[in-house]
Amino acid sequence: MKKVGLEMNILMGVTLSFCLSLIGTLSSGHFTVPGFLISFAISTVLSLIIGFIVPMKSVNDKLERKHGLVPGAMKTKLIESLISDCIYTPIMTLSMTLFAFMQMKKQAAHNPHIELPPYPIMFLRSLLISMVAGYVIIFIVTPIYVKFVLKKNGMMGPGGPGGPNAPGGPERPE
């Protein structure tokens, strides 16, 4: 299961970083390929660190037990996506907006005609956009990645997780 968690961490971290970096640089109105690539690299490193520190599977399992949520149910998926979004997105958005703001300050130092937006406004606008986008991305890709990773690691039989041929799953009648 540790391998599954590691693979999920990498897939989710890279996907979320890519999408949020792209959305962030496009919505800033100052898209540049180097800016996007640097933002993507910074947020990928951060998201991987967060993924190693915060075991989302354990967090979700505790949440399900504490609140009597049914694993795999729509309500559970919606809540788990929100929890994941609230853990990852603010930290990634803070780092990306700080990086962008520092770059803008450097440019403004050389060009007196550049007017900087107040950082709190810049951050809150980006956070709102990123929270919505992050939630949708997490909700859509998590089940796809879970299925892919479980299948790749031989933990999913034809009947789904725990189905026939899955380790610990019911025996397939011959």
Side-chain angles (χ1 to χ4, degrees):
M1 282 308 279
K2 281 190 182 263
K3 185 177 179 185
V4 169
L6 175 66
E7 290 176 15
M8 280 298 296
N9 176 31
I10 292 168
L11 288 170
M12 290 299 295
V14 170
T15 301
L16 199 55
S17 296
F18 178 84
C19 294
L20 292 182
S21 296
L22 185 61
I23 291 167
T25 53
L26 286 172
S27 67
S28 73
H30 303 288
F31 180 84
T32 64
V33 173
F36 162 73
L37 292 174
I38 292 169
S39 178
F40 176 49
I42 292 169
S43 63
T44 298
V45 169
L46 275 174
S47 67
L48 292 175
I49 291 170
I50 294 167
F52 288 117
I53 294 172
V54 181
M56 287 308 300
K57 173 84 171 103
S58 297
V59 170
N60 289 337
D61 289 348
K62 287 176 188 172
L63 182 74
E64 289 170 6
R65 280 192 305 273
K66 184 175 180 179
H67 296 285
L69 299 171
V70 178
M74 181 60 71
K75 178 182 176 183
T76 305
K77 290 178 183 178
L78 291 166
I79 292 170
E80 288 176 350
S81 295
L82 179 63
I83 298 300
S84 188
D85 191 31
C86 289
I87 291 171
Y88 281 85
T89 305
I91 296 168
M92 293 168 61
T93 303
L94 179 66
S95 69
M96 289 185 292
T97 55
L98 264 175
F99 170 73
F101 191 73
M102 297 311 244
Q103 293 303 311
M104 291 169 63
K105 276 180 82 169
K106 285 181 187 175
Q107 291 175 353
H110 301 300
N111 186 346
H113 300 292
I114 295 177
E115 201 172 310
L116 289 176
Y119 179 74
I121 301 295
M122 183 179 162
F123 171 70
L124 291 174
R125 178 181 174 275
S126 292
L127 182 62
L128 178 63
I129 293 167
S130 295
M131 288 297 291
V132 172
Y135 182 78
V136 171
I137 293 162
I138 292 166
F139 181 77
I140 291 170
V141 302
T142 298
I144 295 167
Y145 287 166
V146 166
K147 188 175 182 178
F148 169 75
V149 170
L150 289 177
K151 192 172 187 175
K152 178 181 172 284
N153 287 289
M155 300 178 80
M156 187 157 110
N165 301 333
E171 294 297 318
R172 182 174 52 167
E174 298 292 326

